[in-house]
Amino acid sequence: MLTDDGFLVVDAVHNGEDVLKVYKEKFPDIDLVTLDITMPKLDGISTLEKLLAFDKDAHVVMVTANDNTSVVRKAIALGAKNFIVKPLKPETVLSRIKSSVRK
């Protein structure tokens, strides 16, 4: 979906520790990170905190299967630029990504 709309997807990883590793390796050439709230090894909120501690200007969009407002509010308060609730709808994903990407 993202590549079809012209985005270059740098990597796809499946846990918070790998997100941090890839981000640091490719920094500063990443414009946006999507983080699932629920991930193995390091959850999305913890990963967001560590990512922003490394790069306070990181652009992060959180993804969640549960629209639990307290978790979404916490992520936004910490510095996430936006959130997407599953199931993923292409028009919502693209809209939220486009409005959140680092310019």
Side-chain angles (χ1 to χ4, degrees):
M1 171 185 349
L2 294 173
T3 56
D4 288 346
D5 203 64
F7 288 96
L8 171 64
V9 177
V10 175
D11 213 330
V13 297
H14 303 286
N15 67 68
E17 289 177 359
D18 286 346
V19 169
L20 295 170
K21 179 182 174 203
V22 169
Y23 191 86
K24 289 174 181 179
E25 287 172 358
K26 303 203 185 251
F27 180 80
D29 297 323
I30 294 180
D31 296 323
L32 180 92
V33 174
T34 57
L35 287 179
D36 204 315
I37 295 288
T38 305
M39 294 186 296
K41 295 188 181 180
L42 194 61
D43 66 71
I45 296 294
S46 298
T47 303
L48 174 66
E49 290 174 318
K50 291 179 182 290
L51 189 64
L52 292 171
F54 174 77
D55 175 14
K56 67 179 178 50
D57 296 319
H59 285 232
V60 179
V61 174
M62 303 304 291
V63 180
T64 180
N66 181 348
D67 62 352
N68 180 330
T69 54
S70 65
V71 173
V72 170
R73 283 185 190 159
K74 182 174 184 177
I76 298 296
L78 287 169
K81 301 299 182 200
N82 219 322
F83 69 94
I84 302 167
V85 178
K86 296 177 188 175
L88 302 177
K89 296 177 186 167
E91 62 278 359
T92 302
V93 171
L94 291 172
S95 172
R96 303 266 169 102
I97 294 290
K98 287 177 181 178
S99 71
S100 304
V101 73
R102 185 184 311 208
K103 305 249 187 301

